Amino acid sequence: MSDTYVIYPKIIDELLENPGIGFIAAPGLMEPAGAIHDNRGNPVEKYKFTHSSRTFNHPDSRITYCGVRWRDLEVEKSSYRWDILEKKLEEAKASGCTAIVRCSPYALAEEDDIPDWFRRECREEPEFPFWRVDPLHSPYVTYWSEFIAEFAEHFDGHPVISSVDMALVGAWGEGGGTEFLEEESIRRMVGAYIDNFKITPLQALLHDPKSVKIIRERKENIGFRVDCLGDMGGFHQEEWSHMLDFYPENICNFEMEAAWKKAPVVFEACWHMNDWYLQGWDIDYIVEESLKWHISSFNSKGTIVPEAWKESVKRWLNKMGYRFELRKLTYNPMVKKGDVFRIRGLWANTGVAPIYHRYPLVVRLKNGKEVISFTSRTDIRSWLPDMDILWEEEFDLEGKAGEYSLEIGIETGIPELGNIKLAIEGLKDGYYCFGKIIVE
């Protein structure tokens, strides 16, 4: 590339809040008027992760969890209230967040039962502790599969949804008793998700080898979710724990160690982080293991992060999910109108996971009178960690002659979310400015 201009952007190490990654939002800790308490009700001193944080004792977030109940959405057989979920997604968007969504079939409390129309048809409840209805001797599998197909038809590709949990059976859809189902029943429910969600990423509960094997048979891009991160022996002391036994063994046993390359890995805290702290568990070990498993987001259940762990958690956040650096930019600074504008960038993803939505990379030429935008053909979902990413492109240059500023941004298309923040200096109104270009 002759007559070119070369820029080496300045890399920054500050916290970046971006959609789809990081700690799940903690609304109760956002600008609280009164005192802050830990999960056991004890008052704690207020602190912030950054000077501009809206959230106290917890990092700011661009991702939230959105749980909805089957009984609320399918109020009568084949009669749906999708507006309930839409309202929750609008609330997430208004707070600047994308959402992980799970539709749960039921939970343990009476008010979390299966839909009333289904209960009228099936009045008996099984003795198995995590079921409200017996999927072996009722139409549960048929009804739930039909519901999921309708759910996908209305919400696949929804711009606010980061990913969807594949709930099959059990309280809160967390898989209790999946291992007792017939394989054909599991395949039908799995198919309801995979056959109908073609755009929105999915993650499966890493619960039992039977269901995960059936999910893998489909050879689709499915991530995983697990809900006891941090447990270093809270159930069985030194004999067994999630961190030392279940996760490192079963991520491999279930052959899900490469799932992160195409779909999210989502963790939820076992108890709360404050409990880990009081138990004296090693936060740095927990962080490093989760990063090794390519975590994208973490549900802290909306409770405090112990201040003594602030720096460890900041280091965690700077690796969790994706983190894009533009390390070198080369372009031709003088172009004749109607000619080709050439640009080349050397990128790096210094996080531990890719981005799972195909947000467009946009190049803009801007002055006081005109904005000329070019949308790149590159698919940023292929920008994996620990690799050099060379981006080269040519654009046919139209527009008025004059001097322009060269800007680059990754657009989400949602004003409340804004553009993706890069780990470099130069951000202005969602775009990064790199220099001048003259159109002759």
Side-chain angles (χ1 to χ4, degrees):
M1 194 182 284
S2 59
D3 300 323
T4 56
Y5 187 43
V6 180
I7 299 171
Y8 297 91
K10 185 174 181 180
I11 307 300
I12 59 174
D13 63 358
E14 64 190 53
L15 294 181
L16 304 175
E17 293 85 40
N18 273 319
I21 61 173
F23 274 45
I24 303 295
L29 296 174
M30 288 183 182
E31 302 176 356
I36 290 180
H37 297 79
D38 66 20
N39 64 298
R40 301 187 180 193
N42 300 312
V44 294
E45 293 291 328
K46 285 184 176 181
Y47 77 91
K48 288 185 175 186
F49 269 77
T50 69
H51 292 300
S52 60
S53 291
R54 295 180 302 155
T55 314
F56 283 85
N57 299 58
H58 187 280
D60 278 346
S61 305
R62 289 289 181 184
I63 183 170
T64 190
Y65 171 75
C66 180
V68 284
R69 303 183 303 181
W70 184 15
R71 63 177 292 109
D72 295 328
L73 298 184
E74 191 172 4
V75 291
E76 293 294 340
K77 185 73 177 77
S78 303
S79 178
Y80 303 98
R81 287 287 310 276
W82 301 123
D83 60 296
I84 292 173
L85 178 52
E86 283 285 7
K87 182 180 178 182
K88 290 193 172 191
L89 294 174
E90 283 296 318
E91 291 170 353
K93 183 174 73 171
S95 66
C97 291
T98 56
I100 297 173
V101 174
R102 186 197 311 165
C103 295
S104 62
Y106 50 81
L108 299 180
E110 287 293 329
E111 61 267 24
D112 295 323
D113 196 9
I114 57 175
D116 291 340
W117 57 266
F118 192 5
R119 179 56 69 201
R120 291 193 296 268
E121 180 180 335
C122 186
R123 297 192 177 277
E124 291 189 9
E125 295 192 32
E127 295 182 0
F128 187 74
F130 294 104
W131 289 351
R132 296 302 304 267
V133 62
D134 187 346
L136 304 175
H137 304 98
S138 78
Y140 171 83
V141 171
T142 297
Y143 292 166
W144 182 244
S145 299
E146 291 172 349
F147 168 77
I148 293 303
E150 290 290 332
F151 166 43
E153 182 177 336
H154 285 79
F155 290 95
D156 185 31
H158 194 292
V160 178
I161 299 179
S162 292
S163 60
V164 167
D165 280 352
M166 296 175 67
L168 304 182
V169 72
W172 306 284
E174 291 189 335
T178 308
E179 65 271 24
F180 302 124
L181 296 179
E182 296 176 354
E183 289 193 4
E184 187 52 43
S185 295
I186 298 175
R187 285 193 178 90
R188 181 167 186 182
M189 291 186 286
V190 165
Y193 284 98
I194 294 175
D195 293 340
N196 296 289
F197 279 105
K198 295 298 186 183
I199 302 172
T200 301
L202 297 169
Q203 61 256 348
L205 194 72
L206 205 67
H207 180 271
D208 66 288
K210 185 177 179 180
S211 63
V212 177
K213 179 177 180 292
I214 289 169
I215 289 168
R216 286 201 327 273
E217 285 175 356
R218 293 295 305 268
K219 301 186 185 302
E220 299 286 344
N221 299 326
I222 309 294
F224 65 82
R225 187 190 73 83
V226 277
D227 57 7
C228 224
L229 188 75
D231 168 39
M232 297 287 288
F235 292 99
H236 303 286
Q237 287 75 50
E238 296 181 0
E239 296 178 11
W240 182 93
S241 73
H242 285 84
M243 294 300 301
L244 299 173
D245 300 285
F246 184 84
Y247 296 151
E249 291 181 7
N250 286 325
I251 290 172
C252 294
N253 288 340
F254 295 172
E255 298 181 18
M256 295 294 279
E257 60 267 38
W260 65 273
K261 293 182 179 180
K262 296 295 183 181
V265 172
V266 178
F267 283 94
E268 182 179 312
C270 219
W271 305 289
H272 302 85
M273 291 188 73
N274 184 56
D275 297 315
W276 307 353
Y277 180 72
L278 295 175
Q279 289 278 357
W281 292 340
D282 186 346
I283 183 60
D284 291 316
Y285 179 84
I286 294 168
V287 165
E288 288 304 317
E289 290 296 282
S290 75
L291 294 175
K292 182 183 72 179
W293 299 322
H294 301 277
I295 182 174
S296 272
S297 64
F298 171 64
N299 188 350
S300 68
K301 301 178 180 176
T303 57
I304 67 155
V305 174
E307 188 171 7
W309 284 356
K310 176 181 174 181
E311 293 306 314
S312 291
V313 171
K314 287 174 71 173
R315 181 173 60 84
W316 195 11
L317 288 162
N318 276 349
K319 299 293 289 184
M320 193 182 296
Y322 57 88
R323 185 179 177 91
F324 297 138
E325 298 175 359
L326 178 55
R327 294 183 171 178
K328 180 180 179 181
L329 184 70
T330 308
Y331 71 96
N332 45 330
M334 298 187 68
V335 186
K336 291 184 178 180
K337 180 179 175 182
D339 281 357
V340 171
F341 170 54
R342 298 179 178 87
I343 190 167
R344 176 195 295 154
L346 182 63
W347 295 80
N349 179 357
T350 59
V352 296
I355 194 169
Y356 300 106
H357 285 254
R358 191 173 181 176
Y359 295 127
L361 175 64
V362 175
V363 177
R364 302 199 316 182
L365 306 183
K366 183 180 178 181
N367 61 23
K369 299 179 180 179
E370 190 172 14
V371 177
I372 307 171
S373 292
F374 308 104
T375 300
S376 171
R377 297 186 301 273
T378 193
D379 186 348
I380 65 172
R381 294 175 299 178
S382 66
W383 292 5
L384 297 183
D386 299 323
M387 60 182 289
D388 292 320
I389 304 157
L390 184 60
W391 161 62
E392 296 182 278
E393 205 148 0
E394 295 181 350
F395 301 104
D396 293 329
L397 189 57
E398 300 295 339
K400 296 179 181 178
E403 183 177 290
Y404 295 83
S405 293
L406 172 64
E407 301 179 345
I408 293 177
I410 299 175
E411 298 181 351
T412 69
I414 301 175
E416 293 86 347
L417 295 182
N419 290 349
I420 303 297
K421 296 182 179 68
L422 308 178
I424 58 174
E425 288 187 348
L427 178 63
K428 183 180 179 181
D429 299 327
Y431 296 86
Y432 292 82
C433 303
F434 294 102
K436 299 296 182 181
I437 179 171
I438 295 175
V439 180
E440 298 178 321

